[in-house]
Amino acid sequence: KLADSLAREGDFRGARSEVSILEQRYPDLEDLPLVFAHSVYGDPKLSMDEKEKLLASRTWNDGWLAYYHSMALAGLGRFKEASARLIPSILNGRSRYGEDLPVIVAEAEMICGRAQLGFCSEIKTKALKARPRPAWNEKRYRVRQAELAR
């Protein structure tokens, strides 16, 4: 909770430090990848290249790490790599995106389109099929699509 609080308050370095301590003591804590990834991607003092390298350095198999890493890759114009990182995390059905899934799917479609891949329109349908009880909010999906289209 402390690391998450630090990240939400803008103390991104403090949050990363706390994650490192927690990782040594409790390596299986479920939220470590999310807090770490948020603390890296949200840090305005890091360049996009630094963010990408820090996020790539972690080996957690976690949807939130994949999401933030793909955002950094996209920020560097590396859309094919970003798609390859993000789309599997959506379709595997194990990621803990919860109510954020519609927003993440809309972003994945945009990144996929920028990568000029041919299956972008199928991401939503496949994501819904991959989740037995999808946390889906069509309005959030449409709002994010509209924001990304601007």
Side-chain angles (χ1 to χ4, degrees):
K1 291 206 182 250
L2 175 61
D4 186 46
S5 294
L6 290 169
R8 289 182 192 277
E9 292 171 9
D11 183 0
F12 299 107
R13 287 179 192 238
R16 287 194 298 277
S17 176
E18 188 67 24
V19 165
S20 293
I21 292 166
L22 289 169
E23 187 178 14
Q24 291 174 2
R25 292 182 186 161
Y26 311 102
D28 296 327
L29 275 177
E30 193 173 65
D31 288 335
L32 287 178
L34 168 59
V35 176
F36 174 79
H38 177 247
S39 72
V40 169
Y41 191 76
D43 191 339
K45 294 178 182 173
L46 296 175
S47 70
M48 197 58 73
D49 191 53
E50 290 170 317
K51 291 175 186 186
E52 190 280 322
K53 285 181 174 126
L54 273 171
L55 293 165
S57 73
R58 295 307 187 130
T59 58
W60 288 307
N61 185 16
D62 180 82
W64 283 110
L65 180 63
Y67 169 76
Y68 283 109
H69 186 210
S70 71
M71 293 298 109
L73 288 164
L76 294 169
R78 294 162 55 186
F79 297 107
K80 285 186 180 174
E81 289 174 78
S83 291
R85 184 77 169 108
L86 181 57
I87 294 168
S89 78
I90 294 169
L91 301 183
N92 72 20
R94 295 187 310 266
S95 299
R96 299 173 296 114
Y97 293 132
E99 66 186 31
D100 293 316
L101 180 63
V103 171
I104 292 167
V105 167
E107 291 174 354
E109 289 172 338
M110 182 271 301
I111 291 168
C112 181
R114 288 281 195 72
Q116 299 180 338
L117 302 174
F119 56 84
C120 307
S121 63
E122 301 169 22
I123 296 171
K124 176 184 170 186
T125 303
K126 288 182 177 183
L128 291 171
K129 285 181 182 176
R131 305 202 180 269
R133 298 177 135 205
W136 191 259
N137 181 320
E138 187 67 20
K139 183 178 179 183
R140 284 190 77 199
Y141 170 74
R142 297 278 180 211
V143 166
R144 187 63 181 144
Q145 276 188 317
E147 291 170 350
L148 293 168
R150 290 186 212 153

